[in-house]
Amino acid sequence: MAVTESAFDPTQIPEKPTLDGIEAEWAQRWQDEGVYAFNRSATRDQVYSIDTPPPTVSGSLHMGHVFSYTHTDTIARYQRMTGKSVFYPMGWDDNGLPTERRVQNFFGVRCDPNVAYQPGFTPPFRGDPPKDHQPIAISRPNFIELCEELTHEDEKIFEDLFRRLGLSVDWDYLYTTIEDRSRRVSQRAFLRNLARGEAYTQEAPTLWDVDFKTAVAQAELEDRERPGAYHNVAFARSDGQGDVVIDTTRPVLLAACVALVAHPDDDRYKPLFGKTVRTPLYGVEVPVLAHPLAQIDKGTGIAMICTFGDLTDVIWWRELNLPTRAIIGRDGRIIATPPNGLESPSGIAAYEQIAGLFINQAQTKVVEMLRESGAMIGEPRAIMHPVKFFEKGDRPLEIVTSRQWYIRNGGRDTDLRGALLNRGENLVWHPDHMRHRYSNWVEGLNGDWLISRQRYFGVPVPVWYPVNADGDTVHDSPIVPTEDRLPIDPSTDVPSGYTADQRNQPNGFIGDPDVMDTWATSSLSPQIAGKWEDDADLFGRIFPMDLRPQAHDIIRTWLFSTVVRANFEHDSLPWKNAALSGWILDPDRKKMSKSKGNVVTPIDLFEKFGSDAVRYWAASARPGIDTAFSEDQMKVGKKLATKLLNATKFVLTFPQPDVEAKPTHPVDLAMLARVAETVREATIAFDQYDYARALERTEAMFWWFCDDYVELVKGRVYNSQGADAAGSAISALRLALSALQRLLAPFMPFTTETVWRWWQSGSVHTATWPNTAELGPIGDSAILDPIGEILSQVRRAKTDAKTSQKTAVTEATVSASESVLAAFELGRGDLSDAGSVRSWVTVAGAGETTVSAVLAPPEPAS
RNA sequence: GGGCGCUUAGCUCAGUUGGUUAGAGCUCCUCGCUUACACCGAGGAGGUCGGGGGUUCGAGUCCCUCAGCGCCCA
């Protein structure tokens, strides 16, 4: 029995109880008492483990965090009260571009893996370097050290906010995504993928951001509508039989053209297949080919294939075995030297006109040259069309050929895709329809997961390559470290069997210069949080985890990539359940945005309404549903908290008459039946992850308890009907209150803890979740509605007479059915007290229940 | 173009295998300082459940269709 009443001292209850300032007090006591400490002696079946999303520390916490983390916390608290040892860690995401930029701007440094590590390095600035300051290049290990220094302050602020919100996190299991342990996990998992053939390196056309100068994965793309223009361009047939006119939005790529393509069934172009044409301006001879991806009804029905204008070009290039004529460099400029095949003097002269220009400048130049040459047919026709962007980028992506690392994800392998789809099927989704987002994404993959990034800050790809006697890098046989060396940085660490002076030398080695995509590390959050391999005992107790809570916009990235890694490494799902939270919307239903300037910070709301009230607002939202920000809901939450305070104070005014006292009165037993029903409903709802329903049922019960039941029996507890009748009511009140406080504990941890400790020992948050058995024998709740209806009608009579509710009724006549009258008799004494009714007359009949009341004259003012 | 979700009172939302006069809170109106609570209580007003069609004894709930809003993916 985890619920034990402490020796109750009524003087412990303040005369005017308040909720002001309770957050800081309880947060400290919970920490001191270890209320949320994970009990790692618990076996897997006794553990409930949560794969918490690590917030990005370079931003700030906003209402969206408060919203979704509250949802998870209610589940964690429920599970803890059912007796589970809850593994609820927190992580900070400090690996990635946003942190990299902040470190640069704060310290006036930049990360350069070619620089040697400098122990005890002091940055030139700590905040606000002057505008003309040139960033100092420092090694990656030094950069990571500065990152940890900078994020430390923010992490403290985040932690304080989450504590103030009342998250029942065990802070002893805190992790960050750039710390040694995370880098070790990330690199170890990668090396195992490599050893099993799940990771591979390949030189291939890759989507490339020219500003960030890095490759970008499919999951990070987005389409944006951009203005463009179709240009009709004439290609001269090599056989002199006239021109072929193509349609293109990117005449700038004419120099990269390797073929023309039309649909195999297109009668207009069938005679041309196998023949050649010459590119305008450059005079390069290219074949006319057939491929089913060419669209008959688009433009002139024949297109030029360039290396590379878009992803369709890549498919054509691959499937038609075409040569490569790259003209776009990684810096977004036209490459200085003409591509292979462009050899005629006039062609070279034309190319020199655009060499070195940015793409849009070159496009203008090419159009101008086409006009002059007469190859432009008519004027460009403006259109809007979707263009691929890096989701964080400002310029359209280009496609360049480069060597990259990939992890297989089913994008090129039907069997693996089927296995991953099957994983999604076996995951329990909350709400269920979110599973479609997953299957849509997996079914639409068109390539493996590109994990290498040409950035400097991040978790390095942990391999080196041999350099042969000619000084060439041998990419086919990477040198890998043993796992006990991890984490390593190939830019500073030396592979075993080599010496440092062999770096970048013939017959020596070279470090892989790239880092891994942040998702390649984040996808291992269960392994990082659970200390995979570093603490196998712990990991065995928490994995696979029970719950992944996250936002629905990162199903394709975080959720999917985590499934991929667990599938390879553990041949299992990483968790049993995934709970997808919705967005916070402005009251006008638009997605909340900082730019609108109306964003309130969480801390202001905590101070204005109290944390429990803010949590109440969050927990009122159905799982996965976008929800309007509403201070009104917080006011309601605050009202509920205040009510709980006062109702508890009232009930505890009446000490338990004696230990053996049990509810016996039919009205009391009926009330307990309703509480039992609420316990059942709330438990079922929580087991289905529907915290909002659990709250709604509990809240409705609690208000009925206060407004109706307490008012009904108030006279009896003041001894109007004798000691036994009072004892029944008092013990029933206390049984119900105990259950209600615990039912509300997941939602209002601060208020419930306050009132619980007035009369119980220990924390409400480690108390047993209420069950129906503890309520003892229960009665027939059906008698409550008729009794309530009669009381309501008595009250209405007083309201209609515009008189006080304490006005006495000299005689009340109840006309009702036999069954209603039977209920009335059971509640007669309480109704007399609650309605100040001096005498009753009953009339049995068939129709509706009606009560007519004769009111006593108002008391003369004294 | 494909997929998913949403549309119920002025506002925010419940409504769980179709079942009696569709519920709650907020807002609004009236009344009441009744010894747990004025950070309160009592009572009341307010909806042809987005439109149309169908199945059924019976539809907010199931089916079809149209419209609007939102998100995801091409």
Side-chain angles (χ1 to χ4, degrees), chain A residues 786-836:
Chain A
I787 292 171
E789 173 63 21
I790 291 164
L791 180 58
S792 176
Q793 292 208 31
V794 172
R795 285 169 171 166
R796 193 175 304 135
K798 297 178 185 180
T799 298
D800 289 347
K802 302 202 174 201
T803 184
S804 163
Q805 288 295 325
K806 71 178 179 184
T807 305
V809 175
T810 51
E811 185 177 271
T813 305
V814 182
S815 304
S817 65
E818 294 286 358
S819 63
V820 169
L821 289 179
F824 164 74
E825 289 304 333
L826 296 173
R828 181 176 189 133
D830 291 339
L831 282 167
S832 300
D833 290 337
S836 308

Side-chain angles (χ1 to χ4, degrees), chain A residues 598-614:
Chain A
N598 57 357
V599 173
V600 269
T601 66
I603 203 79
D604 292 339
L605 294 165
F606 293 166
E607 279 168 12
K608 189 167 176 187
F609 300 102
S611 297
D612 281 346
V614 178

Side-chain angles (χ1 to χ4, degrees), chain A residues 147-394:
Chain A
C147 161
E148 287 173 338
E149 177 187 326
L150 179 62
T151 54
H152 185 71
E153 289 300 308
D154 295 321
E155 288 163 5
K156 279 307 293 174
I157 294 169
F158 277 29
E159 180 177 335
D160 288 346
L161 190 93
F162 277 156
R163 284 182 187 272
R164 176 116 188 224
L165 177 60
L167 297 190
S168 58
V169 161
D170 183 346
W171 293 95
D172 287 349
Y173 288 89
L174 185 68
Y175 66 89
T176 75
T177 57
I178 198 65
E179 68 190 1
D180 284 2
R181 191 158 55 81
S182 298
R183 299 205 310 279
R184 183 159 61 241
V185 167
S186 183
Q187 293 184 334
R188 184 192 296 127
F190 169 83
L191 291 173
R192 293 197 184 177
N193 289 140
L194 177 61
R196 289 189 297 256
E198 296 146 5
Y200 62 92
T201 175
Q202 187 180 56
E203 177 126 9
T206 308
L207 284 162
W208 184 270
D209 188 291
V210 298
D211 292 315
F212 288 103
K213 295 187 177 58
T214 184
V216 172
Q218 186 183 353
E220 296 169 294
L221 304 184
E222 63 185 32
D223 284 355
R224 295 183 198 164
E225 286 291 323
R226 281 291 180 276
Y230 273 122
H231 303 71
N232 278 135
V233 179
F235 284 58
R237 287 173 60 164
S238 303
D239 57 12
Q241 302 282 310
D243 291 342
V244 179
V245 178
I246 60 114
D247 239 341
T248 179
T249 57
R250 302 195 71 187
V252 64
L253 292 174
L254 213 45
C257 178
V258 290
L260 299 190
V261 66
H263 195 278
D265 300 335
D266 193 331
D267 292 331
R268 294 171 296 178
Y269 299 108
K270 271 182 183 170
L272 282 173
F273 294 149
K275 303 202 165 154
T276 62
V277 295
R278 284 193 181 277
T279 57
L281 304 183
Y282 309 108
V284 178
E285 187 168 18
V286 297
V288 180
L289 302 171
H291 192 281
L293 281 179
Q295 294 178 36
I296 295 175
D297 55 353
K298 190 172 173 186
T300 56
I302 188 163
M304 65 172 180
I305 302 175
C306 306
T307 54
F308 297 94
D310 61 24
L311 293 172
T312 313
D313 280 342
V314 177
I315 295 169
W316 282 327
W317 167 80
R318 189 178 287 138
E319 296 188 2
L320 299 172
N321 286 315
L322 296 167
T324 306
R325 288 197 185 105
I327 66 162
I328 294 175
R330 298 183 184 191
D331 55 359
R333 292 173 184 267
I334 305 298
I335 294 171
T337 53
N340 291 335
L342 204 168
E343 286 150 359
S344 70
S346 64
I348 290 170
Y351 189 84
E352 281 169 353
Q353 295 286 306
I354 59 168
L357 296 182
F358 282 114
I359 295 159
N360 53 355
Q361 296 170 329
Q363 170 104 338
T364 307
K365 187 73 195 171
V366 169
V367 170
E368 190 182 301
M369 290 192 290
L370 285 170
R371 278 212 175 90
E372 286 167 9
S373 72
M376 258 288 281
I377 313 293
E379 282 302 302
R381 290 114 58 208
I383 54 157
M384 291 294 289
H385 63 151
V387 178
K388 292 208 180 307
F389 281 73
F390 175 34
E391 60 190 0
K392 297 189 178 74
D394 299 319

